[in-house]
Amino acid sequence: MRVRDWDDIVNEVVDSGVDPDGWRAVAGDRQRGLGEDFYLGHPGRGVYHLKTYAKNPFEVKGVGSRVARKIDDGLDEFLPSDDAGRFAVQSAAEDEDDAKDRASKLEQVLQAHADAPTTPADFFEDAMDAVESPAFGPMDYDPYGRPDAMDDLADEFADADELLNSELDDLIEDDDVGRGFR
């Protein structure tokens, strides 16, 4: 297992080229210490684990690693299904023309969903397609605690969890930060 900067993991997800709506995520507070845990999985890419904290309101730092190369039956049960909340990863528009094109597509999606009865899940998927999100899907998230699946995933990847905790604690100590920002 190779520990990397959390931004490198997010860039790998963005550049993965897999079906963008196949991603699923679980996130919440770290079990102990400052920061958050985030598991991100896709059948074609496996499972990633990120640990982050807000150094200040403008800077997030963290570490991560790919902890599984595939999602088998044992891991599948820990990742949320379509009836969970939603998340998306977004990459910036390449230039002003790209931004205008995405905005126009999003306006068309908004108008189409305003004119026809659709589900929130359909709206979300169409909006993510319009803005060309490279990764989106269901997410189990607890902003003030930990979803049960996080503890199950931490148990499943105990060695990785311990190593990533140690690396994040070192970042926090090096930054001389006693608490994070929310």
Side-chain angles (χ1 to χ4, degrees):
M1 182 183 86
R2 195 172 119 224
V3 176
R4 298 182 288 164
D5 186 270
W6 78 284
D7 279 331
D8 294 341
I9 300 294
V10 173
N11 286 331
E12 186 173 321
V13 167
V14 166
D15 296 336
S16 68
V18 296
D19 185 24
D21 66 348
W23 292 94
R24 298 183 288 161
V26 178
D29 288 341
R30 280 178 66 201
Q31 199 166 28
R32 58 186 188 284
L34 175 67
E36 298 79 33
D37 273 332
F38 186 76
Y39 288 92
L40 184 62
H42 189 285
R45 294 298 295 176
V47 178
Y48 295 89
H49 185 184
L50 295 98
K51 289 184 179 281
T52 62
Y53 81 98
K55 179 179 177 183
N56 60 53
F58 305 103
E59 186 177 6
V60 174
K61 289 190 170 186
V63 295
S65 183
R66 184 158 76 167
V67 294
R69 296 200 180 281
K70 67 178 187 166
I71 298 177
D72 59 23
D73 291 338
L75 295 177
D76 190 54
E77 67 186 71
F78 302 137
L79 297 170
S81 63
D82 286 337
D83 61 350
R86 299 279 178 220
F87 84 98
V89 174
Q90 187 58 45
S91 54
E94 293 178 20
D95 55 32
E96 189 174 336
D97 289 338
D98 185 34
K100 286 180 181 179
D101 183 51
R102 289 184 192 186
S104 175
K105 288 178 185 175
L106 186 57
E107 284 180 41
Q108 292 170 17
V109 165
L110 291 170
Q111 188 61 50
H113 282 269
D115 293 342
T118 62
T119 67
D122 289 338
F123 172 70
F124 178 78
E125 187 169 330
D126 290 348
M128 293 301 99
D129 287 342
V131 297
E132 299 175 16
S133 175
F136 61 91
M139 179 178 193
D140 187 5
Y141 175 66
D142 185 343
Y144 304 108
R146 292 173 61 84
D148 293 338
M150 288 195 69
D151 292 329
D152 296 330
L153 285 162
D155 290 343
E156 184 73 25
F157 302 110
D159 292 340
D161 190 57
E162 185 177 330
L163 178 59
L164 291 171
N165 272 325
S166 175
E167 293 288 329
L168 186 65
D169 288 340
D170 288 347
L171 278 177
I172 292 168
E173 185 177 320
D174 289 347
D175 285 339
D176 195 31
V177 174
R179 63 182 173 80
F181 290 84
R182 277 197 189 245

mmCIF file of all heavy atoms in Angstrom, residues 81-101:
data_model
loop_
_atom_site.group_PDB
_atom_site.id
_atom_site.type_symbol
_atom_site.label_atom_id
_atom_site.label_comp_id
_atom_site.label_asym_id
_atom_site.label_seq_id
_atom_site.Cartn_x
_atom_site.Cartn_y
_atom_site.Cartn_z
ATOM 1 N N SER A 81 -26.236 2.159 -1.216
ATOM 2 C CA SER A 81 -27.011 1.926 -2.435
ATOM 3 C C SER A 81 -27.622 3.242 -2.894
ATOM 4 O O SER A 81 -27.356 4.304 -2.330
ATOM 5 C CB SER A 81 -28.105 0.894 -2.151
ATOM 6 O OG SER A 81 -29.002 1.414 -1.182
ATOM 7 N N ASP A 82 -28.460 3.183 -3.885
ATOM 8 C CA ASP A 82 -29.026 4.400 -4.484
ATOM 9 C C ASP A 82 -29.931 5.199 -3.560
ATOM 10 O O ASP A 82 -30.245 6.331 -3.844
ATOM 11 C CB ASP A 82 -29.796 4.038 -5.756
ATOM 12 C CG ASP A 82 -28.869 3.694 -6.905
ATOM 13 O OD1 ASP A 82 -27.709 4.129 -6.871
ATOM 14 O OD2 ASP A 82 -29.307 2.986 -7.820
ATOM 15 N N ASP A 83 -30.376 4.614 -2.443
ATOM 16 C CA ASP A 83 -31.293 5.350 -1.577
ATOM 17 C C ASP A 83 -30.571 6.211 -0.535
ATOM 18 O O ASP A 83 -31.181 6.764 0.364
ATOM 19 C CB ASP A 83 -32.277 4.402 -0.895
ATOM 20 C CG ASP A 83 -31.592 3.374 -0.011
ATOM 21 O OD1 ASP A 83 -30.352 3.267 -0.061
ATOM 22 O OD2 ASP A 83 -32.306 2.670 0.730
ATOM 23 N N ALA A 84 -29.273 6.372 -0.671
ATOM 24 C CA ALA A 84 -28.491 7.201 0.256
ATOM 25 C C ALA A 84 -28.449 8.647 -0.241
ATOM 26 O O ALA A 84 -29.064 8.990 -1.244
ATOM 27 C CB ALA A 84 -27.068 6.632 0.367
ATOM 28 N N GLY A 85 -27.681 9.482 0.448
ATOM 29 C CA GLY A 85 -27.441 10.841 -0.012
ATOM 30 C C GLY A 85 -26.601 10.817 -1.280
ATOM 31 O O GLY A 85 -26.359 9.753 -1.856
ATOM 32 N N ARG A 86 -26.120 11.950 -1.715
ATOM 33 C CA ARG A 86 -25.356 12.037 -2.958
ATOM 34 C C ARG A 86 -24.059 12.811 -2.749
ATOM 35 O O ARG A 86 -23.949 13.665 -1.877
ATOM 36 C CB ARG A 86 -26.157 12.766 -4.036
ATOM 37 C CG ARG A 86 -27.447 12.087 -4.387
ATOM 38 C CD ARG A 86 -27.207 10.968 -5.336
ATOM 39 N NE ARG A 86 -28.453 10.300 -5.632
ATOM 40 C CZ ARG A 86 -28.559 8.999 -5.751
ATOM 41 N NH1 ARG A 86 -27.511 8.248 -5.621
ATOM 42 N NH2 ARG A 86 -29.711 8.443 -6.035
ATOM 43 N N PHE A 87 -23.070 12.513 -3.587
ATOM 44 C CA PHE A 87 -21.815 13.254 -3.619
ATOM 45 C C PHE A 87 -21.390 13.382 -5.073
ATOM 46 O O PHE A 87 -21.869 12.657 -5.946
ATOM 47 C CB PHE A 87 -20.715 12.545 -2.806
ATOM 48 C CG PHE A 87 -20.022 11.470 -3.595
ATOM 49 C CD1 PHE A 87 -18.803 11.726 -4.207
ATOM 50 C CD2 PHE A 87 -20.591 10.222 -3.750
ATOM 51 C CE1 PHE A 87 -18.172 10.742 -4.969
ATOM 52 C CE2 PHE A 87 -19.977 9.241 -4.491
ATOM 53 C CZ PHE A 87 -18.758 9.500 -5.104
ATOM 54 N N ALA A 88 -20.466 14.307 -5.322
ATOM 55 C CA ALA A 88 -19.903 14.461 -6.662
ATOM 56 C C ALA A 88 -18.504 15.040 -6.551
ATOM 57 O O ALA A 88 -18.210 15.808 -5.647
ATOM 58 C CB ALA A 88 -20.773 15.369 -7.522
ATOM 59 N N VAL A 89 -17.671 14.636 -7.461
ATOM 60 C CA VAL A 89 -16.339 15.206 -7.623
ATOM 61 C C VAL A 89 -16.402 16.027 -8.898
ATOM 62 O O VAL A 89 -16.923 15.569 -9.915
ATOM 63 C CB VAL A 89 -15.264 14.102 -7.746
ATOM 64 C CG1 VAL A 89 -13.906 14.694 -8.049
ATOM 65 C CG2 VAL A 89 -15.231 13.246 -6.490
ATOM 66 N N GLN A 90 -15.895 17.240 -8.833
ATOM 67 C CA GLN A 90 -15.975 18.105 -9.991
ATOM 68 C C GLN A 90 -14.598 18.611 -10.385
ATOM 69 O O GLN A 90 -13.819 19.021 -9.533
ATOM 70 C CB GLN A 90 -16.894 19.298 -9.701
ATOM 71 C CG GLN A 90 -17.163 20.159 -10.894
ATOM 72 C CD GLN A 90 -17.780 19.393 -12.046
ATOM 73 O OE1 GLN A 90 -18.693 18.612 -11.853
ATOM 74 N NE2 GLN A 90 -17.268 19.590 -13.230
ATOM 75 N N SER A 91 -14.319 18.566 -11.664
ATOM 76 C CA SER A 91 -13.083 19.166 -12.168
ATOM 77 C C SER A 91 -13.443 20.505 -12.809
ATOM 78 O O SER A 91 -14.543 20.682 -13.328
ATOM 79 C CB SER A 91 -12.385 18.238 -13.164
ATOM 80 O OG SER A 91 -13.264 17.872 -14.196
ATOM 81 N N ALA A 92 -12.517 21.418 -12.757
ATOM 82 C CA ALA A 92 -12.759 22.765 -13.287
ATOM 83 C C ALA A 92 -12.897 22.732 -14.809
ATOM 84 O O ALA A 92 -12.323 21.871 -15.484
ATOM 85 C CB ALA A 92 -11.602 23.681 -12.897
ATOM 86 N N ALA A 93 -13.648 23.680 -15.306
ATOM 87 C CA ALA A 93 -13.782 23.825 -16.763
ATOM 88 C C ALA A 93 -12.420 24.190 -17.346
ATOM 89 O O ALA A 93 -11.617 24.874 -16.718
ATOM 90 C CB ALA A 93 -14.798 24.907 -17.080
ATOM 91 N N GLU A 94 -12.164 23.712 -18.566
ATOM 92 C CA GLU A 94 -10.868 23.949 -19.207
ATOM 93 C C GLU A 94 -10.649 25.412 -19.569
ATOM 94 O O GLU A 94 -9.540 25.923 -19.510
ATOM 95 C CB GLU A 94 -10.736 23.072 -20.442
ATOM 96 C CG GLU A 94 -10.653 21.597 -20.118
ATOM 97 C CD GLU A 94 -10.567 20.732 -21.360
ATOM 98 O OE1 GLU A 94 -10.197 21.253 -22.434
ATOM 99 O OE2 GLU A 94 -10.868 19.538 -21.244
ATOM 100 N N ASP A 95 -11.733 26.068 -19.991
ATOM 101 C CA ASP A 95 -11.636 27.477 -20.378
ATOM 102 C C ASP A 95 -13.036 28.090 -20.321
ATOM 103 O O ASP A 95 -13.995 27.421 -19.939
ATOM 104 C CB ASP A 95 -11.012 27.627 -21.774
ATOM 105 C CG ASP A 95 -11.741 26.827 -22.850
ATOM 106 O OD1 ASP A 95 -12.979 26.653 -22.746
ATOM 107 O OD2 ASP A 95 -11.075 26.382 -23.792
ATOM 108 N N GLU A 96 -13.139 29.342 -20.720
ATOM 109 C CA GLU A 96 -14.414 30.042 -20.634
ATOM 110 C C GLU A 96 -15.479 29.410 -21.540
ATOM 111 O O GLU A 96 -16.646 29.302 -21.158
ATOM 112 C CB GLU A 96 -14.226 31.510 -20.990
ATOM 113 C CG GLU A 96 -15.464 32.340 -20.716
ATOM 114 C CD GLU A 96 -15.237 33.823 -20.920
ATOM 115 O OE1 GLU A 96 -14.092 34.283 -20.824
ATOM 116 O OE2 GLU A 96 -16.242 34.524 -21.160
ATOM 117 N N ASP A 97 -15.077 28.956 -22.721
ATOM 118 C CA ASP A 97 -16.041 28.322 -23.631
ATOM 119 C C ASP A 97 -16.589 27.031 -23.031
ATOM 120 O O ASP A 97 -17.785 26.745 -23.146
ATOM 121 C CB ASP A 97 -15.399 28.040 -24.990
ATOM 122 C CG ASP A 97 -15.136 29.303 -25.796
ATOM 123 O OD1 ASP A 97 -15.799 30.324 -25.520
ATOM 124 O OD2 ASP A 97 -14.263 29.270 -26.692
ATOM 125 N N ASP A 98 -15.721 26.242 -22.404
ATOM 126 C CA ASP A 98 -16.144 25.004 -21.751
ATOM 127 C C ASP A 98 -17.111 25.326 -20.610
ATOM 128 O O ASP A 98 -18.134 24.656 -20.451
ATOM 129 C CB ASP A 98 -14.924 24.233 -21.235
ATOM 130 C CG ASP A 98 -15.288 22.880 -20.653
ATOM 131 O OD1 ASP A 98 -16.232 22.234 -21.151
ATOM 132 O OD2 ASP A 98 -14.612 22.459 -19.682
ATOM 133 N N ALA A 99 -16.817 26.347 -19.837
ATOM 134 C CA ALA A 99 -17.687 26.744 -18.725
ATOM 135 C C ALA A 99 -19.065 27.169 -19.246
ATOM 136 O O ALA A 99 -20.097 26.784 -18.684
ATOM 137 C CB ALA A 99 -17.038 27.865 -17.923
ATOM 138 N N LYS A 100 -19.077 27.948 -20.319
ATOM 139 C CA LYS A 100 -20.350 28.392 -20.897
ATOM 140 C C LYS A 100 -21.145 27.204 -21.442
ATOM 141 O O LYS A 100 -22.374 27.151 -21.293
ATOM 142 C CB LYS A 100 -20.100 29.415 -22.006
ATOM 143 C CG LYS A 100 -19.693 30.771 -21.488
ATOM 144 C CD LYS A 100 -19.460 31.746 -22.634
ATOM 145 C CE LYS A 100 -19.030 33.095 -22.119
ATOM 146 N NZ LYS A 100 -18.769 34.050 -23.206
ATOM 147 N N ASP A 101 -20.456 26.240 -22.053
ATOM 148 C CA ASP A 101 -21.122 25.052 -22.584
ATOM 149 C C ASP A 101 -21.761 24.235 -21.456
ATOM 150 O O ASP A 101 -22.913 23.812 -21.569
ATOM 151 C CB ASP A 101 -20.113 24.202 -23.369
ATOM 152 C CG ASP A 101 -20.760 22.996 -24.003
ATOM 153 O OD1 ASP A 101 -21.791 23.160 -24.701
ATOM 154 O OD2 ASP A 101 -20.250 21.872 -23.783
#
